[in-house]
Amino acid sequence: MSLRPITIGVLLAIFAGGTYELFFDAPSGPRTLRAFDPDRTADLEVDMWRVYYTHENTRLFADLTTMLHEQNRYPWAEAGVAAYHLTRAASTFAETHTAYELLLPDIEAAYATAKDWTQANFDPAAVAKAELAWWVARRIPGQNSPEQVGGLIADEDALLYGVPRDRVLAASVLRARAGRLRDDGGENADWAAVSDLLHQSYRQLHDAVSH
């Protein structure tokens, strides 16, 4: 018997399995943005912040893809597309101080994926504008206190999770405090303290949106 048909069959089976895993196989669990692991999310965000400031965009893309796959339960292909948009927005933001509105299509595309996947009710355009607002505010003296930036993060989280703003405000201020601590330290930032604040933030956010 010729081995060729068997070999082709094996290759086709491997290809089919890989295609299924890439495009259709998602982690088990509900399709909701509210059911995330706060400590894992915080760990990934710490690494994303570190590589953002060292302009390691490939690693930023990998972290975003991992987070979207694990925490939002996207298939790998869906996670990769959304991560591509977010990485491009973040890397462009790092290099520019004008025309911020040009970043909105990429951020909106990522949140449109989240809305479609989870069948949520939020407006991706509104969430994208809210996210960009606090990115920009962190750069503006007089508008970048943790309370001010935290309020803008709370605006976004309230839209994204469909909860009252005051329910997510404390968690949002903690996240903003983590960002300010990183900014104040620069290259010598106390990453252990930044991590601790982000862990507190995501634990409080999880409690606020999961009940």
Side-chain angles (χ1 to χ4, degrees):
M1 178 184 294
S2 171
L3 294 179
R4 183 177 177 80
I6 297 175
T7 302
I8 293 174
V10 170
L11 291 174
L12 287 173
I14 293 172
F15 175 78
T19 300
Y20 176 81
E21 182 174 357
L22 183 63
F23 290 98
F24 302 105
D25 190 26
S28 61
R31 287 196 185 187
T32 174
L33 299 179
R34 299 183 180 202
F36 58 90
D37 179 336
D39 292 313
R40 176 61 171 159
T41 301
D43 286 339
L44 286 166
E45 182 149 314
V46 170
D47 197 63
M48 284 188 281
W49 284 14
R50 297 188 75 153
V51 299
Y52 168 81
Y53 289 107
T54 54
H55 306 288
E56 298 176 65
N57 293 330
T58 300
R59 189 166 155 192
L60 176 60
F61 169 76
D63 282 343
L64 280 164
T65 302
T66 299
M67 184 179 72
L68 294 169
H69 175 69
E70 291 182 358
Q71 304 307 315
N72 291 11
R73 298 172 183 82
Y74 295 174
W76 282 112
E78 201 111 27
V81 171
Y84 166 77
H85 286 294
L86 291 173
T87 301
R88 186 164 68 171
S91 60
T92 302
F93 182 78
E95 303 295 335
T96 187
H97 287 76
T98 60
Y100 293 125
E101 68 277 3
L102 297 178
L103 307 179
L104 286 171
D106 275 318
I107 304 173
E108 183 178 343
Y111 283 111
T113 297
K115 179 180 181 179
D116 291 345
W117 180 253
T118 62
Q119 297 297 298
N121 295 320
F122 64 82
D123 179 355
V127 173
K129 289 178 182 177
E131 177 151 334
L132 185 60
W134 69 260
W135 288 13
V136 174
R138 286 185 61 193
R139 290 181 167 178
I140 303 175
Q143 299 181 29
N144 63 352
S145 72
E147 290 71 27
Q148 290 169 309
V149 174
L152 294 174
I153 295 174
D155 290 340
E156 179 190 0
D157 285 343
L159 292 170
L160 185 62
Y161 295 104
V163 297
R165 180 179 182 273
D166 59 356
R167 189 185 300 179
V168 294
L169 182 59
S172 300
V173 171
L174 282 169
R175 192 176 178 200
R177 284 177 55 197
R180 183 61 177 268
L181 185 61
R182 203 300 320 174
D183 292 345
D184 288 345
E187 293 181 359
N188 299 311
D190 184 347
W191 284 107
V194 170
S195 176
D196 182 62
L197 285 169
L198 284 175
H199 278 265
Q200 292 180 52
S201 173
Y202 277 107
R203 288 169 187 165
Q204 288 196 23
L205 180 64
H206 183 266
D207 289 344
V209 304
S210 62
H211 299 297

